[in-house]
């Protein structure tokens, strides 16, 4: 086979394939251009889920008539002035690739007028061939119209998903942009009818409500955190509400929406043990860092970034989330704890009955065991849990209480688990980890890359109780382990931690690995359910719950407490 030089039109289509994957990619690139042009209003029209038509119109700076032919040429941009700018990119675009890429796979027209000019200019591109720029009347700003997308790349068309799915990707693009640019008015029209309308200049919480809907937004709390030159802020869903996937996890780096493994990992780590396995929070996170500290030129569609100080960012984000949740997770909200129902439409009523149904139907019908604690209302009011008046113990497992807001049910096992777990965690934090020597030292063998990672962290491992020494080439001997861990094979635990270090690169993963294990021990070490508790034991437990953070969930993320407010009781009994 001979090497041939590809014809320009082929090369252009290959290059376009990286940037323009589906109609939503076109919308993303055009909206980014409008944002870079300082628009105050951005309107998007789509027809045929973006295949027949995508039109994006803005009131931004516009393009000078003499620049218009350049705008659709490859590697032509107004966003970089000198080479050094590549290392401090502050605009969303910078490659000068979007317009030519779109032009090479569609029938494309751009119409633009600078505010200072009387007339605008129009340019058409057909499958990559640009026509002449001609004078045209139009309002200030830029309108780009893309028709017959992928007409000359039929295979790409075949790979598209259903029209509804493609449209939902387009909505996502608008939503992601709007969450980061609340000063701007966004509109999306589908087949002529208004699908999204997000007026600009609103408060952060109003924007959140516009996009995520009232229900989800109401369950989120704002947070903010500054460390050095980085600022982290946004909204976090409160612990008990959770979702089955990561689609409500939105992260921005300097107002650029990214899907970043490091940020996602850090966010989830911030939630620590508050969520059950396989459940995810809703988070909007804005990270602002100096432009020079982030490389945005690592992904064709600019979805990913690289941080210069990755582990610092990871730690700061996890800490910001943890702090944001700390106070929230200490005292339950007045809402009934939601049991991870999907938050769309009217699914919230079932959440209410869920608590009741499982409570009732799990009970053996003939004889529900209830031990009355007849107790005086507590005097101590120094915390939510201590202020509960315990009425009795149901089924040897649940404490039924009268709470200041209504009725509360506590799972005594989950409560004990959390208390024990927090105690062990404190031990870990204080560096007062007790260690046990292994009678038979364990030999750990690792692939070369992982061995190098382990070797750099022997000291850290030692601090948490693992004494590990080099034994042979890529072989290590484990001599001690934390006394908190039950006896067993520690090699798998270490392997997992090292794999995590490779992914996110820091001590955080070690800590997480340990916490995971602590949660398991806490679970086995504490009072099992189905044990009658004496009154003193109950009061001690409630007091301890007030003293710890994250008291509302057990270390596996199951709820410790479910509360029915007076209002909810009334609603359940149809009194309102
Ligand atoms: P990039 O955004 O990477 O510069 P594009 O191909 O997306 O590359 O756009 C090329 C150039 O066209 C931009 O640098 C900008 O000068 C101009 N441009 C594109 N869209 C707009 C717009 N909506 N308003 C003003 N200028 C625009
Ligand atoms: Mg661009």
């Amino acid at each position: 086979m001979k090497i041939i030089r590809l014809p320009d039109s082929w090369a252009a289509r290959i290059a376009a394939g990286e940037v323009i994957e589906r109609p939503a990619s076109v919308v993303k690139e055009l909206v980014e251009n409008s944002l870079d042009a300082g628009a105050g209003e951005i309107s998007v029209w789509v027809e045929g889920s973006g295949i027949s038509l995508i039109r994006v119109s803005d009131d931004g700076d516009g393009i000078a008539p003499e620049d218009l032919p350049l705008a659709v040429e490859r590697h032509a941009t107004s966003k970089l002035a000198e080479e050094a700018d590549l290392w401090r990119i502050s605009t969303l675009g910078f490659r000068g690739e979007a317009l030519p890429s779109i032009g090479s796979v569609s029938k494309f027209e751009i119409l633009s007028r600078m505010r200072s000019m009387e007339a605008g200019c129009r340019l058409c591109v057909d499958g990559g061939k640009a026509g002449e720029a001609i004078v045209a009347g139009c309002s200030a700003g830029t309108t780009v119209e893309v028709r017959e997308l992928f007409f000359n790349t039929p295979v790409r068309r075949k790979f598209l998903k259903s029209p509804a799915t493609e449209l939902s990707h387009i909505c996502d693009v608008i939503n992601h942009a709007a969450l980061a640019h609340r000063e701007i008015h966004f509109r999306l029209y589908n087949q002529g009818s208004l699908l999204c309308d997000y007026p600009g200049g609103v408060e952060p919480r109003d924007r959140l409500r516009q996009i995520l809907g009232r229900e989800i937004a109401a369950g989120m709390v704002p947070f903010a955190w500054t460390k050095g030159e980085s600022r982290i802020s946004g909204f976090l869903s409160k612990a008990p509400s959770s979702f089955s996937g990561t689609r409500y996890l939105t992260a921005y780096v300097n107002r650029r929406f990214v899907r970043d493994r490091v940020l996602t990992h850090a966010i989830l780590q911030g939630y620590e043990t508050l969520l059950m396995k396989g459940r995810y929070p809703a988070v909007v996170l804005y990270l602002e860092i100096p432009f020079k500290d982030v490389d945005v030129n690592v992904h064709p569609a600019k979805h990913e970034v690289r941080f210069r100080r990755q582990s610092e960012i990871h730690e700061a984000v996890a800490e910001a989330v943890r702090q944001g949740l700390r106070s929230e997770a200490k005292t339950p909200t007045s809402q009934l704890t939601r049991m991870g129902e999907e938050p769309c439409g009217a699914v919230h009523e079932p959440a209410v009955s869920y608590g009741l149904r499982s409570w009732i139907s799990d009970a053996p019908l003939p004889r529900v065991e209830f031990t009355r604690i007849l107790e005086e209302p507590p005097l101590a009011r120094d915390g939510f849990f201590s202020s509960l008046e315990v009425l009795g113990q149901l089924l040897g497992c649940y404490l039924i209480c009268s709470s200041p807001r209504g009725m509360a049910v506590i799972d005594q096992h989950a409560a004990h688990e959390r208390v024990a777990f927090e105690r062990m965690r404190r031990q870990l934090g204080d560096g007062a980890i007790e260690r046990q020597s292994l009678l038979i030292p364990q030999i750990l063998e690792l692939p070369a890359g992982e061995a190098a990672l382990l070797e750099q962290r022997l000291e850290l491992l030692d601090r948490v109780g693992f004494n590990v020494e080099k034994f042979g080439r890529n072989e290590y001997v484990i001599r001690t382990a934390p006394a908190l861990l039950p006896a067993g094979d520690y090699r798998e635990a270490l392997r997992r931690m090292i794999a995590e270090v490779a992914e996110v690169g820091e001590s955080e993963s070690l800590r997480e690995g340990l916490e995971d294990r602590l949660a398991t021990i806490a679970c086995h070490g504490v009072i099992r359910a189905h044990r009658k508790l004496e009154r003193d034991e109950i009061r001690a437990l409630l007091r301890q719950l007030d003293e710890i953070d994250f008291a509302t969930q057990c270390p596996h993320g199951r709820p410790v407490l479910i509360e029915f407010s007076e209002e909810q009781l009334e609603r359940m009994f149809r009194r309102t």
Side-chain angles (χ1 to χ4, degrees), residues 194-229:
L194 193 58
L195 202 60
C196 307
D197 185 16
Y198 307 140
V202 291
E203 290 300 311
R205 187 172 277 287
D206 291 331
R207 190 59 125 196
L208 196 69
R209 208 174 293 128
Q210 289 173 346
I211 290 160
L212 294 181
R214 260 192 335 180
E215 197 81 52
I216 302 182
M220 294 171 86
V221 288
F223 75 111
W225 175 261
T226 308
K227 184 159 188 243
E229 288 177 292

mmCIF file of all heavy atoms in Angstrom, residues 194-229:
data_model
loop_
_atom_site.group_PDB
_atom_site.id
_atom_site.type_symbol
_atom_site.label_atom_id
_atom_site.label_comp_id
_atom_site.label_asym_id
_atom_site.label_seq_id
_atom_site.Cartn_x
_atom_site.Cartn_y
_atom_site.Cartn_z
ATOM 1 N N LEU A 194 -41.516 27.184 22.166
ATOM 2 C CA LEU A 194 -40.507 27.497 23.178
ATOM 3 C C LEU A 194 -40.363 26.329 24.162
ATOM 4 O O LEU A 194 -41.296 25.974 24.858
ATOM 5 C CB LEU A 194 -40.936 28.764 23.908
ATOM 6 C CG LEU A 194 -39.929 29.466 24.794
ATOM 7 C CD1 LEU A 194 -38.685 29.859 24.011
ATOM 8 C CD2 LEU A 194 -40.556 30.702 25.427
ATOM 9 N N LEU A 195 -39.152 25.773 24.227
ATOM 10 C CA LEU A 195 -38.919 24.608 25.083
ATOM 11 C C LEU A 195 -38.252 25.026 26.389
ATOM 12 O O LEU A 195 -38.572 24.529 27.454
ATOM 13 C CB LEU A 195 -38.015 23.632 24.329
ATOM 14 C CG LEU A 195 -38.032 22.181 24.748
ATOM 15 C CD1 LEU A 195 -39.415 21.603 24.590
ATOM 16 C CD2 LEU A 195 -37.047 21.397 23.872
ATOM 17 N N CYS A 196 -37.290 25.930 26.303
ATOM 18 C CA CYS A 196 -36.629 26.449 27.495
ATOM 19 C C CYS A 196 -36.624 27.960 27.407
ATOM 20 O O CYS A 196 -36.372 28.514 26.345
ATOM 21 C CB CYS A 196 -35.167 26.007 27.579
ATOM 22 S SG CYS A 196 -34.895 24.258 27.449
ATOM 23 N N ASP A 197 -36.901 28.610 28.532
ATOM 24 C CA ASP A 197 -36.843 30.065 28.571
ATOM 25 C C ASP A 197 -36.273 30.460 29.919
ATOM 26 O O ASP A 197 -36.950 30.345 30.935
ATOM 27 C CB ASP A 197 -38.254 30.639 28.377
ATOM 28 C CG ASP A 197 -38.224 32.147 28.291
ATOM 29 O OD1 ASP A 197 -37.126 32.714 28.070
ATOM 30 O OD2 ASP A 197 -39.284 32.788 28.453
ATOM 31 N N TYR A 198 -35.012 30.852 29.935
ATOM 32 C CA TYR A 198 -34.344 31.176 31.188
ATOM 33 C C TYR A 198 -33.931 32.639 31.193
ATOM 34 O O TYR A 198 -32.836 32.968 30.741
ATOM 35 C CB TYR A 198 -33.092 30.310 31.368
ATOM 36 C CG TYR A 198 -33.308 28.827 31.244
ATOM 37 C CD1 TYR A 198 -32.374 28.029 30.581
ATOM 38 C CD2 TYR A 198 -34.432 28.210 31.801
ATOM 39 C CE1 TYR A 198 -32.554 26.655 30.476
ATOM 40 C CE2 TYR A 198 -34.613 26.845 31.688
ATOM 41 C CZ TYR A 198 -33.674 26.067 31.021
ATOM 42 O OH TYR A 198 -33.858 24.722 30.908
ATOM 43 N N PRO A 199 -34.800 33.534 31.693
ATOM 44 C CA PRO A 199 -34.438 34.951 31.743
ATOM 45 C C PRO A 199 -33.144 35.149 32.521
ATOM 46 O O PRO A 199 -32.856 34.391 33.454
ATOM 47 C CB PRO A 199 -35.617 35.591 32.481
ATOM 48 C CG PRO A 199 -36.738 34.630 32.327
ATOM 49 C CD PRO A 199 -36.134 33.271 32.241
ATOM 50 N N GLY A 200 -32.380 36.142 32.136
ATOM 51 C CA GLY A 200 -31.069 36.356 32.742
ATOM 52 C C GLY A 200 -31.112 37.284 33.934
ATOM 53 O O GLY A 200 -32.164 37.795 34.310
ATOM 54 N N GLY A 201 -29.947 37.503 34.539
ATOM 55 C CA GLY A 201 -29.816 38.433 35.656
ATOM 56 C C GLY A 201 -30.541 37.985 36.901
ATOM 57 O O GLY A 201 -31.039 38.795 37.672
ATOM 58 N N VAL A 202 -30.633 36.669 37.099
ATOM 59 C CA VAL A 202 -31.377 36.167 38.255
ATOM 60 C C VAL A 202 -30.419 35.722 39.354
ATOM 61 O O VAL A 202 -29.220 35.586 39.141
ATOM 62 C CB VAL A 202 -32.285 34.980 37.861
ATOM 63 C CG1 VAL A 202 -33.418 35.454 36.971
ATOM 64 C CG2 VAL A 202 -31.472 33.896 37.180
ATOM 65 N N GLU A 203 -30.984 35.495 40.524
ATOM 66 C CA GLU A 203 -30.208 34.980 41.656
ATOM 67 C C GLU A 203 -29.777 33.540 41.360
ATOM 68 O O GLU A 203 -30.477 32.821 40.652
ATOM 69 C CB GLU A 203 -31.074 34.976 42.917
ATOM 70 C CG GLU A 203 -31.389 36.343 43.447
ATOM 71 C CD GLU A 203 -30.125 37.095 43.815
ATOM 72 O OE1 GLU A 203 -29.283 36.501 44.529
ATOM 73 O OE2 GLU A 203 -29.960 38.247 43.369
ATOM 74 N N PRO A 204 -28.643 33.111 41.959
ATOM 75 C CA PRO A 204 -28.183 31.748 41.699
ATOM 76 C C PRO A 204 -29.258 30.689 41.973
ATOM 77 O O PRO A 204 -29.447 29.759 41.208
ATOM 78 C CB PRO A 204 -27.017 31.571 42.666
ATOM 79 C CG PRO A 204 -26.548 32.937 42.967
ATOM 80 C CD PRO A 204 -27.719 33.850 42.832
ATOM 81 N N ARG A 205 -29.986 30.879 43.066
ATOM 82 C CA ARG A 205 -30.977 29.847 43.376
ATOM 83 C C ARG A 205 -32.126 29.831 42.367
ATOM 84 O O ARG A 205 -32.684 28.783 42.058
ATOM 85 C CB ARG A 205 -31.508 30.016 44.802
ATOM 86 C CG ARG A 205 -32.391 28.851 45.182
ATOM 87 C CD ARG A 205 -32.805 28.808 46.603
ATOM 88 N NE ARG A 205 -31.861 28.221 47.533
ATOM 89 C CZ ARG A 205 -31.590 26.923 47.618
ATOM 90 N NH1 ARG A 205 -32.124 26.061 46.788
ATOM 91 N NH2 ARG A 205 -30.750 26.483 48.517
ATOM 92 N N ASP A 206 -32.440 31.011 41.838
ATOM 93 C CA ASP A 206 -33.514 31.063 40.831
ATOM 94 C C ASP A 206 -33.088 30.346 39.561
ATOM 95 O O ASP A 206 -33.881 29.649 38.932
ATOM 96 C CB ASP A 206 -33.870 32.515 40.519
ATOM 97 C CG ASP A 206 -34.544 33.177 41.701
ATOM 98 O OD1 ASP A 206 -35.198 32.447 42.473
ATOM 99 O OD2 ASP A 206 -34.380 34.388 41.877
ATOM 100 N N ARG A 207 -31.820 30.534 39.188
ATOM 101 C CA ARG A 207 -31.321 29.834 38.006
ATOM 102 C C ARG A 207 -31.386 28.322 38.222
ATOM 103 O O ARG A 207 -31.786 27.568 37.357
ATOM 104 C CB ARG A 207 -29.882 30.267 37.733
ATOM 105 C CG ARG A 207 -29.359 29.788 36.415
ATOM 106 C CD ARG A 207 -30.200 30.285 35.243
ATOM 107 N NE ARG A 207 -29.411 30.995 34.268
ATOM 108 C CZ ARG A 207 -29.900 31.774 33.320
ATOM 109 N NH1 ARG A 207 -31.203 31.955 33.220
ATOM 110 N NH2 ARG A 207 -29.108 32.387 32.480
ATOM 111 N N LEU A 208 -31.001 27.917 39.411
ATOM 112 C CA LEU A 208 -31.016 26.499 39.754
ATOM 113 C C LEU A 208 -32.437 25.950 39.588
ATOM 114 O O LEU A 208 -32.659 24.874 39.040
ATOM 115 C CB LEU A 208 -30.567 26.349 41.204
ATOM 116 C CG LEU A 208 -30.142 24.977 41.673
ATOM 117 C CD1 LEU A 208 -28.831 24.601 41.006
ATOM 118 C CD2 LEU A 208 -29.973 24.957 43.191
ATOM 119 N N ARG A 209 -33.396 26.740 40.064
ATOM 120 C CA ARG A 209 -34.797 26.326 40.004
ATOM 121 C C ARG A 209 -35.276 26.276 38.557
ATOM 122 O O ARG A 209 -35.964 25.343 38.152
ATOM 123 C CB ARG A 209 -35.637 27.324 40.809
ATOM 124 C CG ARG A 209 -36.885 26.723 41.379
ATOM 125 C CD ARG A 209 -37.612 27.703 42.274
ATOM 126 N NE ARG A 209 -36.905 28.028 43.489
ATOM 127 C CZ ARG A 209 -36.648 29.266 43.908
ATOM 128 N NH1 ARG A 209 -37.016 30.317 43.191
ATOM 129 N NH2 ARG A 209 -36.013 29.475 45.032
ATOM 130 N N GLN A 210 -34.865 27.277 37.765
ATOM 131 C CA GLN A 210 -35.264 27.282 36.348
ATOM 132 C C GLN A 210 -34.838 25.987 35.667
ATOM 133 O O GLN A 210 -35.542 25.438 34.838
ATOM 134 C CB GLN A 210 -34.585 28.446 35.601
ATOM 135 C CG GLN A 210 -35.100 29.822 35.938
ATOM 136 C CD GLN A 210 -34.245 30.920 35.282
ATOM 137 O OE1 GLN A 210 -33.141 30.672 34.802
ATOM 138 N NE2 GLN A 210 -34.760 32.132 35.259
ATOM 139 N N ILE A 211 -33.653 25.516 36.024
ATOM 140 C CA ILE A 211 -33.064 24.420 35.258
ATOM 141 C C ILE A 211 -33.331 23.044 35.856
ATOM 142 O O ILE A 211 -33.700 22.115 35.158
ATOM 143 C CB ILE A 211 -31.568 24.682 35.062
ATOM 144 C CG1 ILE A 211 -31.452 25.849 34.083
ATOM 145 C CG2 ILE A 211 -30.855 23.462 34.509
ATOM 146 C CD1 ILE A 211 -30.183 26.551 34.108
ATOM 147 N N LEU A 212 -33.167 22.918 37.144
ATOM 148 C CA LEU A 212 -33.364 21.593 37.748
ATOM 149 C C LEU A 212 -34.798 21.365 38.210
ATOM 150 O O LEU A 212 -35.175 20.266 38.575
ATOM 151 C CB LEU A 212 -32.425 21.400 38.933
ATOM 152 C CG LEU A 212 -30.938 21.347 38.603
ATOM 153 C CD1 LEU A 212 -30.125 21.131 39.858
ATOM 154 C CD2 LEU A 212 -30.651 20.244 37.608
ATOM 155 N N GLY A 213 -35.583 22.429 38.201
ATOM 156 C CA GLY A 213 -36.953 22.301 38.685
ATOM 157 C C GLY A 213 -37.016 22.596 40.175
ATOM 158 O O GLY A 213 -36.012 22.522 40.875
ATOM 159 N N ARG A 214 -38.220 22.951 40.624
ATOM 160 C CA ARG A 214 -38.382 23.384 42.005
ATOM 161 C C ARG A 214 -38.006 22.314 43.012
ATOM 162 O O ARG A 214 -37.343 22.554 43.999
ATOM 163 C CB ARG A 214 -39.826 23.798 42.239
ATOM 164 C CG ARG A 214 -40.020 25.292 42.186
ATOM 165 C CD ARG A 214 -41.355 25.621 42.693
ATOM 166 N NE ARG A 214 -42.190 24.418 42.474
ATOM 167 C CZ ARG A 214 -43.448 24.323 42.803
ATOM 168 N NH1 ARG A 214 -44.033 25.301 43.368
ATOM 169 N NH2 ARG A 214 -44.130 23.214 42.569
ATOM 170 N N GLU A 215 -38.452 21.087 42.702
ATOM 171 C CA GLU A 215 -38.298 20.008 43.664
ATOM 172 C C GLU A 215 -36.826 19.735 43.998
ATOM 173 O O GLU A 215 -36.434 19.722 45.161
ATOM 174 C CB GLU A 215 -38.942 18.752 43.075
ATOM 175 C CG GLU A 215 -39.235 17.681 44.083
ATOM 176 C CD GLU A 215 -40.511 17.975 44.825
ATOM 177 O OE1 GLU A 215 -41.547 18.230 44.182
ATOM 178 O OE2 GLU A 215 -40.456 17.966 46.056
ATOM 179 N N ILE A 216 -36.027 19.533 42.967
ATOM 180 C CA ILE A 216 -34.618 19.214 43.215
ATOM 181 C C ILE A 216 -33.913 20.422 43.824
ATOM 182 O O ILE A 216 -33.141 20.300 44.770
ATOM 183 C CB ILE A 216 -33.895 18.788 41.919
ATOM 184 C CG1 ILE A 216 -34.592 17.582 41.312
ATOM 185 C CG2 ILE A 216 -32.436 18.460 42.195
ATOM 186 C CD1 ILE A 216 -33.930 17.061 40.061
ATOM 187 N N ALA A 217 -34.204 21.608 43.276
ATOM 188 C CA ALA A 217 -33.523 22.816 43.766
ATOM 189 C C ALA A 217 -33.802 23.029 45.254
ATOM 190 O O ALA A 217 -32.920 23.421 46.011
ATOM 191 C CB ALA A 217 -33.956 24.030 42.958
ATOM 192 N N ALA A 218 -35.040 22.737 45.678
ATOM 193 C CA ALA A 218 -35.391 22.959 47.080
ATOM 194 C C ALA A 218 -34.580 22.060 48.004
ATOM 195 O O ALA A 218 -34.322 22.405 49.153
ATOM 196 C CB ALA A 218 -36.879 22.709 47.294
ATOM 197 N N GLY A 219 -34.160 20.909 47.494
ATOM 198 C CA GLY A 219 -33.394 19.986 48.327
ATOM 199 C C GLY A 219 -31.908 20.274 48.322
ATOM 200 O O GLY A 219 -31.130 19.467 48.812
ATOM 201 N N MET A 220 -31.492 21.404 47.734
ATOM 202 C CA MET A 220 -30.061 21.681 47.651
ATOM 203 C C MET A 220 -29.678 22.877 48.503
ATOM 204 O O MET A 220 -30.433 23.814 48.657
ATOM 205 C CB MET A 220 -29.658 21.916 46.186
ATOM 206 C CG MET A 220 -29.827 20.657 45.334
ATOM 207 S SD MET A 220 -29.604 20.948 43.578
ATOM 208 C CE MET A 220 -27.828 20.778 43.426
ATOM 209 N N VAL A 221 -28.464 22.809 49.053
ATOM 210 C CA VAL A 221 -27.979 23.908 49.886
ATOM 211 C C VAL A 221 -26.754 24.544 49.230
ATOM 212 O O VAL A 221 -25.962 23.855 48.600
ATOM 213 C CB VAL A 221 -27.582 23.422 51.295
ATOM 214 C CG1 VAL A 221 -28.804 23.086 52.100
ATOM 215 C CG2 VAL A 221 -26.639 22.225 51.214
ATOM 216 N N PRO A 222 -26.610 25.870 49.379
ATOM 217 C CA PRO A 222 -25.444 26.522 48.785
ATOM 218 C C PRO A 222 -24.197 26.233 49.607
ATOM 219 O O PRO A 222 -24.292 25.953 50.803
ATOM 220 C CB PRO A 222 -25.794 28.009 48.852
ATOM 221 C CG PRO A 222 -26.799 28.116 49.949
ATOM 222 C CD PRO A 222 -27.510 26.796 50.044
ATOM 223 N N PHE A 223 -23.051 26.286 48.973
ATOM 224 C CA PHE A 223 -21.801 26.143 49.714
ATOM 225 C C PHE A 223 -20.726 26.975 49.033
ATOM 226 O O PHE A 223 -20.840 27.299 47.847
ATOM 227 C CB PHE A 223 -21.377 24.669 49.819
ATOM 228 C CG PHE A 223 -20.815 24.102 48.539
ATOM 229 C CD1 PHE A 223 -19.466 23.781 48.437
ATOM 230 C CD2 PHE A 223 -21.629 23.908 47.446
ATOM 231 C CE1 PHE A 223 -18.943 23.260 47.263
ATOM 232 C CE2 PHE A 223 -21.118 23.385 46.269
ATOM 233 C CZ PHE A 223 -19.780 23.061 46.168
ATOM 234 N N ALA A 224 -19.728 27.341 49.778
ATOM 235 C CA ALA A 224 -18.629 28.125 49.206
ATOM 236 C C ALA A 224 -17.382 27.872 50.033
ATOM 237 O O ALA A 224 -17.461 27.621 51.237
ATOM 238 C CB ALA A 224 -18.970 29.619 49.230
ATOM 239 N N TRP A 225 -16.245 27.929 49.382
ATOM 240 C CA TRP A 225 -14.998 27.537 50.034
ATOM 241 C C TRP A 225 -13.865 28.167 49.259
ATOM 242 O O TRP A 225 -13.842 28.113 48.030
ATOM 243 C CB TRP A 225 -14.926 26.015 49.995
ATOM 244 C CG TRP A 225 -13.682 25.364 50.496
ATOM 245 C CD1 TRP A 225 -12.649 24.899 49.734
ATOM 246 C CD2 TRP A 225 -13.347 25.043 51.847
ATOM 247 N NE1 TRP A 225 -11.705 24.324 50.529
ATOM 248 C CE2 TRP A 225 -12.100 24.395 51.828
ATOM 249 C CE3 TRP A 225 -13.979 25.261 53.074
ATOM 250 C CZ2 TRP A 225 -11.474 23.953 52.988
ATOM 251 C CZ3 TRP A 225 -13.352 24.821 54.213
ATOM 252 C CH2 TRP A 225 -12.120 24.171 54.179
ATOM 253 N N THR A 226 -12.940 28.774 49.960
ATOM 254 C CA THR A 226 -11.805 29.364 49.269
ATOM 255 C C THR A 226 -10.538 28.771 49.817
ATOM 256 O O THR A 226 -10.395 28.619 51.034
ATOM 257 C CB THR A 226 -11.779 30.898 49.491
ATOM 258 O OG1 THR A 226 -13.061 31.389 49.147
ATOM 259 C CG2 THR A 226 -10.748 31.554 48.606
ATOM 260 N N LYS A 227 -9.650 28.397 48.907
ATOM 261 C CA LYS A 227 -8.360 27.901 49.375
ATOM 262 C C LYS A 227 -7.298 28.431 48.429
ATOM 263 O O LYS A 227 -7.316 28.140 47.236
ATOM 264 C CB LYS A 227 -8.359 26.372 49.388
ATOM 265 C CG LYS A 227 -7.074 25.837 49.973
ATOM 266 C CD LYS A 227 -7.239 24.428 50.469
ATOM 267 C CE LYS A 227 -5.991 23.986 51.214
ATOM 268 N NZ LYS A 227 -5.328 22.874 50.587
ATOM 269 N N GLY A 228 -6.382 29.232 48.967
ATOM 270 C CA GLY A 228 -5.363 29.850 48.119
ATOM 271 C C GLY A 228 -6.043 30.632 47.014
ATOM 272 O O GLY A 228 -6.943 31.437 47.262
ATOM 273 N N GLU A 229 -5.645 30.337 45.785
ATOM 274 C CA GLU A 229 -6.225 31.073 44.666
ATOM 275 C C GLU A 229 -7.462 30.387 44.106
ATOM 276 O O GLU A 229 -8.034 30.852 43.131
ATOM 277 C CB GLU A 229 -5.191 31.215 43.545
ATOM 278 C CG GLU A 229 -4.089 32.201 43.879
ATOM 279 C CD GLU A 229 -3.066 32.243 42.751
ATOM 280 O OE1 GLU A 229 -2.363 31.234 42.552
ATOM 281 O OE2 GLU A 229 -2.997 33.280 42.074
#
